[in-house]
Amino acid sequence: MLFSDDENMIEIAPDAFLLKGFLLGNSKVLLQSLNNIFSLSPLRNMETPGGYRMSVAMSNCGEWGWVTDKTGYRYTNSDPVTNKPWQPMPGIFRQLAQDAAERAGFLGFEPDACLINRYAVGAKMSLHQDKDEANFSQPIVSFSLGLPCIFDFGGAIREAPKIALTLEHGDVLVWGGKSRLNYHGVRTIKAGEHPLLGPYRFNLTFRRSQK
């Protein structure tokens, strides 16, 4: 089994779990797959509808990809930079995401989108909900690779109390059900150097975007 130690699965909220070290042992194949994706769908710093240039660089793989620009937040089935379909989701990505979802109690997870975020030192992600999907019945599965971060996980309203989690290389977060629309965010990435990824944190977020 990829993951068998119950002590490494931590319930952080109803229907929300942290799987510590779930990805360890798969780092090299995950990184090679990322490099292949970036060679055809390069990372870019997108712009929010309000004109803010995001500090996090992004790309996608899968049937659908999440994008933002002056016209709004949405999913598209082609890369607006290349005007070509997003790269297929690698089999190892899909399998590990499904395994993590199942481990957390969500059976039958079928992601059709994987948003890839690269955090350089100083980058952050403001508190937000994942609510652009047409399907809230399936969970969010989030991989952490590279530098550690402090991840804030809140409640259904922005003002709800938050818990601060330290996410490290190989960790996976899974949330759905009662916590599917909970607010969450990433605090500013501190300076550091990861042996495989250098001064970066990568986050892969798997979602079912369409019904």
Side-chain angles (χ1 to χ4, degrees):
M1 294 178 63
L2 289 170
F3 187 91
S4 60
D5 189 351
D6 287 343
E7 293 182 357
N8 287 341
M9 186 171 78
I10 304 164
E11 185 173 7
I12 60 172
D15 299 323
F17 299 88
L18 169 59
L19 310 182
K20 291 295 295 181
F22 189 89
L23 302 173
L24 296 180
N26 293 283
S27 297
K28 290 186 178 179
V29 66
L30 290 173
L31 298 185
Q32 182 58 58
S33 295
L34 282 176
N35 287 332
N36 292 341
I37 291 166
F38 297 152
S39 68
L40 297 170
S41 291
L43 290 159
R44 76 295 304 260
N45 294 84
M46 298 184 192
E47 186 175 325
T48 69
Y52 171 72
R53 182 179 183 270
M54 299 184 71
S55 63
V56 177
M58 298 180 172
S59 186
N60 292 274
C61 66
E63 300 170 59
W64 296 85
W66 185 88
V67 299
T68 174
D69 56 26
K70 291 181 179 179
T71 63
Y73 304 115
R74 64 194 183 281
Y75 283 91
T76 66
N77 57 11
S78 63
D79 183 342
V81 170
T82 66
N83 292 316
K84 296 180 179 179
W86 297 105
Q87 296 305 299
M89 190 182 299
I92 186 67
F93 283 20
R94 184 181 301 276
Q95 187 61 60
L96 287 171
Q98 290 174 329
D99 289 347
E102 183 173 347
R103 183 70 184 84
F106 296 99
L107 305 181
F109 180 44
E110 291 293 341
D112 61 7
C114 173
L115 172 62
I116 304 166
N117 295 327
R118 187 190 69 182
Y119 291 78
V121 174
K124 63 181 180 180
M125 184 71 70
S126 300
L127 206 64
H128 66 282
Q129 295 170 297
D130 288 350
K131 60 180 182 180
D132 297 318
E133 298 73 36
N135 187 332
F136 296 148
S137 68
Q138 297 202 28
I140 302 292
V141 176
S142 177
F143 291 2
S144 288
L145 300 169
L147 290 179
C149 78
I150 301 298
F151 184 91
D152 288 317
F153 195 79
I157 60 173
R158 187 180 296 274
E159 296 76 20
K162 301 182 293 293
I163 59 172
L165 303 169
T166 298
L167 300 184
E168 300 173 296
H169 179 79
D171 289 350
V172 176
L173 275 174
V174 182
W175 68 94
K178 297 176 182 177
S179 292
R180 173 60 180 78
L181 290 174
N182 283 25
Y183 279 85
H184 54 281
V186 175
R187 298 186 193 180
T188 302
I189 301 297
K190 295 182 178 180
E193 190 80 14
H194 188 270
L196 294 176
L197 288 161
Y200 297 107
R201 172 184 186 255
F202 283 84
N203 169 234
L204 284 62
T205 305
F206 297 87
R207 307 159 181 186
R208 181 72 188 181
S209 70
Q210 309 300 306
K211 291 183 177 179

